[in-house]
Amino acid sequence: MQSSAGLRLIYRAYMAAFFLFLVAPLIAAGAFAFNDSLFPSLPWNGFTLDWFFSPVEPKLGLFYDERLLRGLNNSLYIGVVVAALSVAAGTCNAFLFERKSFPFKGVAYILLIIPLVIPGVILGISILVFASMIANWVDAEFGLFITWLRPGVPLIVLGQFSFLTTITSLVIAARLQKFDMALEEAALNLGASRLRVLRTVTLPFLYPAMFSAFVVAFLVSFENFNTTLMLVGSDAPLTITMYDRMVKAGSTPVLNAVSVVLMLGSGLLALASVAVQRERKV
């Protein structure tokens, strides 16, 4: 009994230390967003919302900072587009690998997984070099300047899509493995077409996984830095804008204010994902 009680105490202490290790940096980063100081550091000079709502320097707030808002808008746009494309491709991949048999299926599956183990910087450089090579060749041979193969938002979307499709494919395939094929067979026996069966039976079963995959892809796209840095043009997403701000002007509490907004947004998306999962189970 004493041994069991001691193990429970150690387990609880470990769990408390583990979650404290995870949460403490977030609490610290969030707290300095409300510090009435020009620098995100101690001492605490009082509570303020200037780093969110002040319209004037030197405490220009997040919601009046045009560069940060433009970066936020770019990140939202890129995240939604990449997540939507990744979920669509991931759904197709899930059906391909779970329902079909074809030559070199194992090799194709390995190729699907590879983007996850390639460092983001290497992936970004490879895509940039390959796209630039094609664009330069088309320009030299036909005199066409293909903007979407140059650094910018389209190339960022392509770069993030290349590895986020792997994540969405795995998430949706895991859900598809649990599907009871007898449901599709019953619908077909009742006269439903394959397209209708897909629309009314199979896809509704996959919706929770598709939504979760969309949320994961969006969040990973939003916070991606390494791959995006290699492909960015004039329309920089938020992560690149924040990095550029830190390099040129140093860290200020407005960046902590950005962190607070991102933490709240991520938390809401996570809660929405959990709510969708529970609703489907009920």
Side-chain angles (χ1 to χ4, degrees):
M1 293 293 293
Q2 291 181 351
S3 176
S4 178
L7 289 176
R8 282 199 301 269
L9 181 62
I10 293 174
Y11 173 75
R12 291 172 181 172
Y14 168 77
M15 293 301 297
F18 175 75
F19 283 107
L20 181 63
F21 174 78
L22 292 179
V23 174
L26 301 179
I27 294 176
F32 286 124
F34 304 96
N35 188 16
D36 191 10
S37 171
L38 296 179
F39 305 98
S41 60
L42 296 173
W44 183 262
N45 295 328
F47 180 86
T48 183
L49 293 175
D50 287 349
W51 294 111
F52 291 90
F53 302 110
S54 174
V56 295
E57 296 282 3
K59 294 181 180 180
L60 185 62
L62 166 62
F63 297 109
Y64 289 90
D65 193 314
E66 292 185 2
R67 285 196 63 200
L68 289 176
L69 290 178
R70 187 162 56 248
L72 178 61
N73 182 66
N74 291 337
S75 289
L76 290 173
Y77 173 77
I78 293 170
V80 170
V81 172
V82 172
L85 292 175
S86 299
V87 169
T91 303
C92 295
N93 289 340
F95 278 98
L96 177 65
F97 285 100
E98 294 299 324
R99 296 285 183 87
K100 302 296 182 180
S101 297
F102 52 91
F104 305 107
K105 181 178 178 179
V107 175
Y109 188 80
I110 293 174
L111 293 176
L112 174 70
I113 301 297
I114 281 179
L116 287 182
V117 300
I118 298 177
V121 173
I122 303 301
L123 187 63
I125 292 176
S126 301
I127 293 173
L128 177 62
V129 171
F130 183 69
S132 298
M133 182 178 64
I134 296 176
N136 291 336
W137 179 80
V138 172
D139 189 16
E141 293 293 326
F142 305 102
L144 299 176
F145 187 80
I146 305 178
T147 56
W148 59 273
L149 288 178
R150 307 290 181 178
V153 171
L155 207 58
I156 293 175
V157 170
L158 178 63
Q160 294 184 359
F161 173 79
S162 66
F163 67 89
L164 287 176
T165 300
T166 301
I167 298 176
T168 58
S169 298
L170 295 176
V171 173
I172 298 171
R175 175 76 173 177
L176 186 59
Q177 289 177 351
K178 301 177 182 179
F179 182 73
D180 186 359
M181 293 290 293
L183 297 176
E184 286 188 354
E185 295 174 359
L188 291 171
N189 291 335
L190 291 173
S193 65
R194 288 197 174 274
L195 182 60
R196 187 174 182 181
V197 170
L198 177 67
R199 181 172 54 86
T200 60
V201 179
T202 312
L203 286 182
F205 179 82
L206 294 178
Y207 282 157
M210 294 170 67
F211 181 78
S212 297
F214 182 92
V215 170
V216 171
F218 175 81
L219 293 177
V220 174
S221 168
F222 200 97
E223 60 83 27
N224 183 262
F225 179 79
N226 292 340
T227 303
T228 303
L229 182 63
M230 299 297 107
L231 306 173
V232 71
S234 58
D235 297 324
L238 185 61
T239 51
I240 306 301
T241 303
M242 293 175 67
Y243 173 74
D244 184 65
R245 175 71 61 87
M246 288 194 65
V247 169
K248 294 180 178 178
S251 180
T252 62
V254 71
L255 299 182
N256 296 75
V258 175
S259 301
V260 171
V261 172
L262 296 185
M263 284 188 282
L264 291 175
S266 300
L268 290 175
L269 285 176
L271 289 176
S273 179
V274 172
V276 168
Q277 297 284 349
R278 288 185 175 179
E279 180 182 351
R280 287 293 175 176
K281 286 181 180 180
V282 174

